[in-house]
Amino acid sequence: MEKINSINKQSAKWLRWTARGIGSFGGVFWLFSLIANAIGEISAGTPPPLEGIILGVLIIILVVGVIIAWRDEKIGGTIVTFGAIALCIFAYITAGRNKHLAVLFSGAPFLVSGILFLTSWRRSKK
């Protein structure tokens, strides 16, 4: 029985660090992209479109969820998972062509990260 607990703790640790890596990389990528886009729009003097504002809010929710998940995997993983589902739906609706590719590159990494956070939390509880 003790061996099973050790395996669960080791796998939970591996899942946790994988989720942290994927979520952090996705968050940094999207934040950099949004900041660069905002600077470009400000310098051009154009107001941000509604799609850009919605995308920015979704990315901020996801980044906050990843930050929370570093401390509390259950709450942060839940925020990241639901935020990723919202981002996938948003990407699918707003993408002109290649809708599945837009979903794959925008929301899927966060969805994987959120599921890994929740799986790690469940494994660490056993």
Side-chain angles (χ1 to χ4, degrees):
M1 188 68 164
E2 191 171 316
K3 186 176 182 179
I4 293 173
N5 287 338
S6 174
I7 291 171
N8 276 341
K9 287 183 181 182
Q10 187 65 25
S11 65
K13 184 178 179 181
W14 183 83
L15 290 171
R16 180 180 308 116
W17 280 103
T18 304
R20 286 175 176 176
I22 294 170
S24 297
F25 178 76
V28 167
F29 171 79
W30 275 106
L31 280 178
F32 177 75
S33 177
L34 286 175
I35 291 169
N37 192 19
I39 290 171
E41 287 179 359
I42 289 171
S43 65
T46 59
L50 180 60
E51 289 177 356
I53 293 170
I54 294 171
L55 179 63
V57 168
L58 287 172
I59 296 303
I60 289 170
I61 290 170
L62 286 166
V63 168
V64 167
V66 170
I67 291 169
I68 292 171
W70 274 75
R71 300 286 281 172
D72 187 347
E73 295 164 344
K74 181 182 178 185
I75 296 171
T78 304
I79 292 170
V80 172
T81 302
F82 284 114
I85 291 169
L87 183 59
C88 287
I89 292 169
F90 178 76
Y92 187 82
I93 291 171
T94 58
R97 296 168 47 189
N98 298 323
K99 293 180 180 282
H100 297 294
L101 196 61
V103 169
L104 180 67
F105 285 112
S106 60
F110 288 110
L111 185 59
V112 169
S113 177
I115 291 170
L116 288 175
F117 275 126
L118 292 174
T119 305
S120 170
W121 168 73
R122 285 198 59 122
R123 289 259 171 112
S124 64
K125 289 293 178 188
K126 289 184 180 181

